[in-house]
Amino acid sequence: EAGVTQFPSHSVIEKGQTVTLRCDPISGHDNLYWYRRVMGKEIKFLLHFVKESKQDESGMPNNRFLAERTGGTYSTLKVQPAELEDSGVYFCASSQVGTTLQETQYFGPGTRLLVL
Amino acid sequence: AQSVAQPEDQVNVAEGNPLTVKCTYSVSGNPYLFWYVQYPNRGLQFLLKYITGDNLVKGSYGFEAEFNKSQTSFHLKKPSALVSDSALYFCAVRDPWFSGGYNKLIFGAGTRLAVHP
């Protein structure tokens, strides 16, 4: 079974440019999450999809970030325009939908974003 | 407020010695607790989790963790460290009763484990 995949693995862009990150969850996982780790600090939650619906987007830092999950499969996270403080590692995770909240989130390798 | 603390930025251990990576948490209700590991140039890998039941949880690669409710701790342990255990370890908590988003994981800042030959 393939794990969570993310593309690209690295991205270097200039301030003001646009970047789009992609995440393909584990097949059959309806839950999809985005997290990011900035400057060696803790990993912080950004948002949560259940299928194509945004369940919780309380962690999105501002309106420069736009996440989509059309069709409930893969997801994209667009940053437009990028700022220096957006640099960090963006992780995607997926899990099966359950009723007990005991399910494990499985993470992808992350996308390392550097904004110059 | 929900939070996770990993008080040590780095832990140094000699190969063959026992290791402990510390984690304490703060949530409003009974927590679900997780440990993840990140090897160099790799993503986060799930190690183990505590949901309910026995306070000692066993996971992958010989790791275990002990849930201590009175001390609000969930320390990661291994009886005999290997050089290959050198990695970045993250503790995380989920508060299933938190109305502000009960599915999300709250992470600590991570602890770098260095195991020396």
Side-chain angles (χ1 to χ4, degrees):
Chain A
E1 178 184 276
V4 176
T5 58
Q6 293 185 245
F7 182 83
S9 58
H10 296 78
S11 181
V12 181
I13 61 173
E14 292 186 352
K15 175 183 174 181
Q17 289 185 323
T18 297
V19 62
T20 300
L21 313 181
R22 172 170 170 147
C23 168
D24 287 78
I26 293 172
S27 178
H29 282 192
D30 287 336
N31 283 320
L32 188 148
Y33 306 83
W34 284 99
Y35 294 84
R36 75 172 177 178
R37 187 175 189 231
V38 174
M39 291 182 62
K41 295 185 178 179
E42 65 272 20
I43 300 168
K44 287 194 172 181
F45 168 82
L46 295 177
L47 88 159
H48 168 210
F49 284 100
V50 178
K51 296 185 179 180
E52 67 275 8
S53 299
K54 292 178 185 175
Q55 182 77 15
D56 178 1
E57 50 185 333
S58 61
M60 295 289 266
N62 51 60
N63 59 10
R64 295 186 294 103
F65 289 76
L66 175 63
E68 295 180 322
R69 193 181 182 194
T70 306
T73 54
Y74 70 91
S75 174
T76 59
L77 180 64
K78 180 189 291 187
V79 185
Q80 180 182 29
E83 298 289 345
L84 300 179
E85 62 265 26
D86 300 333
S87 297
V89 181
Y90 289 76
F91 291 103
C92 176
S94 72
S95 70
Q96 292 179 320
V97 171
T99 58
T100 62
L101 299 176
Q102 297 179 10
E103 61 274 13
T104 298
Q105 295 181 21
Y106 295 95
F107 283 74
T111 293
R112 283 162 176 74
L113 175 64
L114 178 60
V115 183
L116 301 176
Chain B
Q2 302 169 309
S3 65
V4 174
Q6 293 183 242
E8 302 152 319
D9 290 335
Q10 179 152 333
V11 171
N12 296 297
V13 178
E15 187 173 32
N17 282 2
L19 69 87
T20 298
V21 182
K22 296 180 180 178
C23 172
T24 59
Y25 64 89
S26 175
V27 298
S28 56
N30 292 323
Y32 294 165
L33 294 155
F34 302 80
W35 275 101
Y36 287 84
V37 58
Q38 185 179 21
Y39 296 103
N41 300 315
R42 302 286 294 278
L44 290 168
Q45 293 184 29
F46 169 72
L47 271 182
L48 51 79
K49 66 182 178 183
Y50 171 81
I51 302 298
T52 187
D54 193 346
N55 289 343
L56 185 64
V57 179
K58 295 186 182 297
S60 306
Y61 313 120
F63 284 93
E64 58 188 28
E66 185 167 14
F67 170 61
N68 187 317
K69 187 173 183 178
S70 63
Q71 297 186 2
T72 61
S73 67
F74 189 56
H75 300 332
L76 182 70
K77 300 180 180 183
K78 187 173 182 180
S80 179
L82 300 173
V83 173
S84 57
D85 293 330
S86 298
L88 189 56
Y89 290 80
F90 291 95
C91 180
V93 65
R94 175 192 285 158
D95 183 352
W97 286 270
F98 180 56
S99 60
Y102 44 75
N103 263 25
K104 63 184 176 185
L105 292 174
I106 308 297
F107 282 89
T111 298
R112 187 164 298 281
L113 174 67
V115 182
H116 305 284

